[in-house]
Amino acid sequence: QVQLVESGGGSVQAGGSLRLSCAASGYAFSTYSMAWFRQAPGKEREGVAAINVDGMTQYPDSVKGRFTISQDNGKNTLYLQMNSLKPEDTAMYYCATRRGRLAWWALLVSGNYNYWGQGTQVAVSP
C-alpha cells in the first residue's frame, strides 16, 4: 500500500532554512504527482508546492522564490527546500500524492490527492 513518511521539521529563526523530506513506498513513484501542503491551527490547509509526473512545478505566491520542490526517483523521496522562512510559515507540513498527472491549476488543491503522510512540524520564530 502507499505510504508517505515526512521528516526534517523543526524550529528555526526567521530568515533561516529548512529541508523537509518525504519517503514514499508501495507504489511506482515516477508515475505519481506529488505535493506539499501545510496547515496551522484554525486555518485552512493550503498547498505550498507541487510537482507533476512530467516534472512541472507549481507554487503559490506566498512561497514563490523561497520554496523549492524536488524529487529523487532513485530514493523514492520528495523534498521541500524552504529558504528565507517567515513566522507565518509555521504549520504542520504534509506530503501528498496521487496517481497520474494533474492540470496545472489543480496541483495545489488538496482534494485532488488520495494519499497523505502524517506530517512534520515547522516552527519559525521572529
Side-chain angles (χ1 to χ4, degrees), residues 103-114:
W104 67 268
W105 46 263
L107 281 169
L108 296 176
V109 179
S110 62
N112 289 330
Y113 293 86
N114 306 105

Side-chain angles (χ1 to χ4, degrees), residues 5-9 19-23 36 119-120:
V5 181
E6 301 97 334
S7 62
R19 189 181 75 163
L20 306 183
S21 298
C22 175
W36 288 96
T120 185

Side-chain angles (χ1 to χ4, degrees), residues 47-102:
V48 296
I51 184 166
N52 232 327
V53 294
D54 59 4
M56 184 187 70
T57 58
Q58 188 74 22
Y59 306 92
D61 290 340
S62 59
V63 308
K64 195 170 297 181
R66 300 189 298 120
F67 289 12
T68 303
I69 188 171
S70 62
Q71 59 187 6
D72 186 330
N73 290 334
K75 297 180 179 179
N76 283 1
T77 302
L78 181 75
Y79 301 98
L80 182 66
Q81 180 66 47
M82 304 184 292
N83 298 325
S84 301
L85 284 163
K86 305 175 180 179
E88 49 263 46
D89 294 321
T90 296
M92 184 73 75
Y93 283 71
Y94 302 89
C95 65
T97 190
R98 64 158 287 148
R99 190 175 183 178
R101 186 182 181 276
L102 282 168

